[in-house]
């Protein structure tokens, strides 16, 4: 399966991992990294390099998924992935994460990642239930 490091602010990554485990029961290709208050960018970079070491050792494609564009986890991921020719996806949601984790390693390509991002974007909606009920 596709190797994924999920790096988020605070403990959001732990919550996503718990949700993945509830649904998929197993996620051996998922690593998480929580960017805690007071952690420096240098420390985050070091932790991220350690968390992705097994992917590099195996010579496998991986991606780092972050919660916010332009924030510290994203910036660290851009640096680490540039060194490894890996990929960065920002704006995680559960559907995207499940798609990535079910992707066979041989199919882990930029085109496939972009397809998943596009599909994830199409899963975001805003509803006005009161107006919908009035229309019935």
């Amino acid at each position: 399966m596709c190797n994924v490091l999920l790096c988020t602010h605070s403990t959001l990554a732990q919550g996503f991992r718990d949700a993945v485990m509830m649904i998929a029961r197993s996620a051996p290709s998922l690593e998480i990294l929580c960017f805690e208050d007071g952690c420096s960018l240098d420390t985050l970079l070091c932790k991220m390099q350690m968390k992705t070491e097994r992917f590099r050792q195996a010579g496998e494609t991986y991606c780092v998924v972050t919660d916010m564009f332009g924030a510290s986890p994203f910036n660290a991921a851009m640096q680490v992935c540039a060194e490894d020719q890996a990929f960065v996806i920002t704006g995680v949601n559960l559907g995207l994460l499940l798609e990535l984790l079910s992707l066979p390693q041989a199919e882990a390509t930029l085109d496939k990642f972009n397809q998943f991002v596009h599909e994830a974007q199409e899963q975001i909606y805003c509803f006005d239930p009161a107006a919908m009920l009035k229309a019935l």
Side-chain angles (χ1 to χ4, degrees):
M1 298 296 107
C2 179
N3 297 308
V4 175
L5 170 62
L6 175 61
C7 182
T8 66
H9 290 83
S10 190
T11 58
L12 182 60
Q14 291 174 348
F16 271 106
R17 181 185 55 198
D18 291 347
V20 165
M21 296 304 287
M22 178 183 164
I23 295 167
R25 300 288 180 216
S26 172
S29 62
L30 176 64
E31 293 283 345
I32 66 164
L33 177 56
C34 298
F35 178 56
E36 300 288 348
D37 192 27
C39 180
S40 71
L41 185 58
D42 287 338
T43 300
L44 180 62
L45 279 165
C46 184
K47 288 180 178 182
M48 192 173 286
Q49 288 168 336
M50 288 189 306
K51 288 281 189 174
T52 56
E53 181 62 25
R54 74 178 174 110
F55 307 147
R56 282 192 297 283
Q57 290 290 326
E60 295 178 336
T61 300
Y62 72 91
C63 65
V64 178
V65 180
T66 69
D67 53 353
M68 290 178 58
F69 174 77
S72 295
F74 172 81
N75 294 331
M78 292 295 284
Q79 289 183 44
V80 169
C81 291
E83 296 168 8
D84 291 343
Q85 296 181 336
F87 302 96
V88 177
I89 298 173
T90 190
V92 66
N93 70 30
L94 185 57
L96 172 64
L97 192 55
L98 289 166
E99 287 286 351
L100 290 168
L101 292 169
S102 65
L103 181 66
Q105 180 64 34
E107 296 176 26
T109 64
L110 180 59
D111 286 342
K112 189 57 96 168
F113 293 153
N114 279 323
Q115 175 189 335
F116 288 165
V117 167
H118 179 73
E119 291 169 0
Q121 290 169 334
E122 290 182 342
Q123 294 175 15
I124 299 171
Y125 298 95
C126 180
F127 293 97
D128 180 353
M132 293 172 72
L133 289 173
K134 286 180 185 175
L136 295 178

